[in-house]
Structures are given as structure tokens and as C-alpha cells.
Amino acid sequence: MTINRALSAACMLAIYAAGGNMAQAADDDIRVSLKLFGKEDIEQGIDRCRFSLWQGDRDPNADRYAFLFHANAANNGYQGPARVKIGETVYALSRLAEGGESINGLASQYFYATEDREIRVHIEFNDVGLSGELYRIKDADMTVIQKGKVPFVASAKGHLGCLQPPAQSAKATPVREPETQVPGPPNGIPIGRQTILDDMSQLPPEAVQLVRESAGDECDVDGFHAWGGARYVINDYYLLWEVPCISAAYQAATALVVTQNPPQGWGNLLTLPNPPGKDGETYQAMNADILGPKGFIRSTSLNRGVGDCGSYRVHRLIDAPGEVLELELLEFREKSECDGIEMAPEDWPLIFQAY
């Protein structure tokens, strides 16, 4: 959706409508209670590709609380869900429009809102530089609008785009063979599109019970979780379920259960094998990313919130003896040194590869 002066006018009308009588609101001290948050407060972690804004006089790498707004890449469109924090509540917003005068090929104005339009955010770039795939936002204004309150305007800096992995060095050297010498990983059984569940009551009882009984040492299935899980159609005979396992400050895990399609009381809790030399297997798919057409399940376990160390796994869904399904480990990468060097998990040092 392209917007120019119309967007600015619309946003100003929204501000006045949301704020009502500005002078009266100021007298009543009714103001948007916008709060800063840190990397550790972003449940799914910060992607290499993201749209982030922080307070202009703060440094997100040095200050615990610096961020005003954050959205990881969604279909390469940065459409959301974005997040802002007002008071003690974190709000999820979707992008409604973008446009305005272009700066270095980038639209200069963006408009986000919650589904009920209770919270609206207008972002305007004033100065933007381009470095590789990353736009460095040198100066921006962010206006947060909440019904019945005086809008909050903040001066911001930020990033929009993808950070490049750092150059190879003795401190952090990605281990990756030339593409021409390494065949691609074999595909697994295709997995259908994700269907997000409204709450955990929509999960099959047998799936939840399997996690509770067999993975209770790893998963707190009865604890608080920010989402209800997900369902995937494998074929006419099987469904795959993501059952919330743990929810932490900057990452979350799910357990993976296969049931009949539709569920009929039977379930199979999938284990994620570890590479040779690492004990056993796990039920936790940390920050799971399911690549359905290829049948891959990628999981990334972060050792700390800034995301500069941890382990990265790629499994594929395969047939197993006895007409059941299981996961096979294709790739394992690990960056054990938390050195502040930010790079994509798929570029961490390679420990194991099965293709």
C-alpha cells in the first residue's frame, strides 16, 4: 500500500482522534506509558534480518533497556508481528501501510497497529544510510497512539534489513565447504502448512499427556506459555503437533508429537537425536523453524539473549520401521564462545553433517 502525504494526514487525524482533547488530556496526565525493552525480552530472539528501533540516546549493545520497537523478518517483509511495550503489557502489531518519500530506495513512513486498533504506531525516517543488505536508520520519529491518551513521540535510531555475518577470523571461523563440493541435504517427508492454535485446549489430549509423561524432565507442559501450539498436516494418515514445552525470557521450545489424522487416541512423541559424541537425545525443539516442503525441522538453542553463541540443528522427518515416523539428524553446528560476535546460526562452526 503506497502512501505519501495522505499517510501523514491520516496519521495526524488518528493522533488527534486517539488523543481527544490534547490540552485536557495533558491536564489529566493521561499519557502513553511507553517502555523500553532489551534483547533478552524478545521471546523468539533477534533474527539476523529484522526491523528494530531504539531510543536515540541509547545503545542496544551496551544498555539493558534500549529498544522501542522490534519485528523479526516475516516472509522477508518485516510485516510483523512487531512488538512494543506499554506499561507492563507487550503488544503485537501488524503493518498496515508504508510509503512516503523514498530515502536511498527505502520508504520513509510506516504505520502499524494491533488487531483491535487500540495501539497504533507511526514511524517516519528522516535520515537513512545503506550498507550491504542493511539500512542504518540514523534519525527517525516514532509516534505511539493509544485510545484516550496523549500520543508519545520518541526520537529513534535503528536497523532495517539483514546484518552480514562478520568476516572470517581466528576468533570465529565458520566451517562451510564450497557449495560445488557439498551436495544439498536430502529432503524429508513433506510437512503441510502451519495452523496456529488459539490455546492448548485445541491440542489432542493424547499429545499433551505424552509430553507430560515422557518428557516431564525437559518440558513444563502445564506451565504458562505465550501460545497454544500448532498443527501440521503430513498426509491423510498423520498430523504433526507442536506442543509448548518451555517458555523462557528470550527463547522457547516445543515438543513434537505425531498423531493419526484425525486424532484417535494414539500418539508418537518424536525425539531429536544428538550428534555422535553428545549423550542421548532431546525432546526440546528450541525456537523451532519447520520448513514444510523439504520436511526439515531446524532448531536453535541460544546460550544467552544476545544470540552470539549456542547450538543449531537440522533434522528431517523420515519413515521408521513399524509404520511410524521419526527424526534424523542432518546437521549440527555449535558456537561455544560467547564473544559478542553476531552471526547467523547456520554459519556457526560445523560439528556434524550427515550428507
Side-chain angles (χ1 to χ4, degrees), residues 204 206 231 235-239 241 259-266:
E206 56 266 36
R231 180 184 70 248
N235 51 38
D236 291 340
Y237 305 101
Y238 294 116
L239 297 171
W241 303 85
T259 69
Q260 294 157 306
N261 184 12
Q264 300 175 39
W266 170 88

Side-chain angles (χ1 to χ4, degrees), residues 53-64:
L53 293 176
W54 51 86
Q55 188 166 293
D57 60 354
R58 298 218 174 189
D59 181 351
N61 294 316
D63 296 315
R64 170 64 179 85

Side-chain angles (χ1 to χ4, degrees), residues 59-354:
D59 181 351
N61 294 316
D63 296 315
R64 170 64 179 85
Y65 299 100
F67 285 91
L68 294 162
F69 172 97
H70 177 81
N72 284 329
N75 300 321
N76 298 320
Y78 308 97
Q79 295 184 9
R83 64 171 284 153
V84 295
K85 185 175 183 180
I86 298 176
E88 297 304 315
T89 303
V90 174
Y91 291 90
L93 308 98
S94 297
R95 190 176 67 186
L96 303 184
E98 68 169 86
E101 183 178 353
S102 175
I103 305 177
N104 285 331
L106 182 69
S108 61
Q109 298 192 43
Y110 298 81
F111 195 51
Y112 284 76
T114 55
E115 185 175 355
D116 60 4
R117 304 300 190 265
E118 170 70 21
I119 305 296
R120 285 165 281 176
V121 174
H122 174 229
I123 299 166
E124 182 171 11
F125 298 157
N126 303 311
D127 187 6
V128 178
L130 178 60
S131 175
E133 297 181 68
L134 182 69
Y135 287 96
R136 299 186 182 276
I137 303 160
K138 302 176 184 178
D139 181 26
D141 294 318
M142 173 174 151
T143 302
V144 182
I145 306 157
Q146 185 174 14
K147 291 181 180 179
K149 296 192 176 184
V150 176
F152 189 104
V153 181
S155 296
K157 297 180 180 179
H159 289 160
L160 194 159
C162 299
L163 290 171
Q164 293 296 320
Q168 293 188 5
S169 66
K171 197 171 187 179
T173 303
V175 179
R176 177 170 284 181
E177 296 295 328
E179 187 173 327
T180 56
Q181 299 180 15
V182 180
N187 289 349
I189 297 171
I191 302 170
R193 292 182 58 186
Q194 181 188 67
T195 299
I196 299 292
L197 306 180
D198 294 330
D199 57 64
M200 292 182 62
S201 65
Q202 295 179 332
L203 290 164
E206 56 266 36
V208 176
Q209 189 62 24
L210 266 174
V211 177
R212 183 183 292 119
E213 292 179 351
S214 302
D217 292 341
E218 296 185 41
C219 298
D220 182 15
V221 72
D222 296 307
F224 170 78
H225 300 285
W227 72 315
R231 180 184 70 248
Y232 306 81
V233 177
I234 298 174
N235 51 38
D236 291 340
Y237 305 101
Y238 294 116
L239 297 171
L240 175 68
W241 303 85
E242 277 193 275
V243 180
C245 174
I246 62 169
S247 296
Y250 52 86
Q251 60 184 344
T254 53
L256 303 170
V257 178
V258 173
T259 69
Q260 294 157 306
N261 184 12
Q264 300 175 39
W266 170 88
N268 178 32
L269 177 61
L270 300 181
T271 58
L272 283 73
N274 280 321
K278 288 192 175 287
D279 293 337
E281 48 198 9
T282 181
Y283 295 108
Q284 295 180 354
M286 297 295 299
N287 302 310
D289 181 17
I290 296 180
L291 306 181
K294 292 181 176 293
F296 293 167
I297 297 173
R298 301 189 302 191
S299 57
T300 305
S301 178
L302 302 176
N303 291 350
R304 64 177 188 171
V306 296
D308 60 343
C309 52
S311 59
Y312 169 82
R313 295 170 168 85
V314 180
H315 292 84
R316 67 168 181 151
L317 188 66
I318 61 172
D319 287 311
E323 296 186 355
V324 295
L325 304 177
E326 65 181 24
L327 295 176
E328 177 187 29
L329 180 64
L330 295 176
E331 184 177 318
F332 181 86
R333 293 176 180 269
E334 188 171 45
K335 184 170 182 283
S336 56
E337 185 177 2
C338 302
D339 52 13
I341 297 178
E342 191 171 357
M343 58 197 306
E346 49 267 43
D347 289 322
W348 286 347
L350 180 64
I351 306 299
F352 170 83
Q353 194 174 70

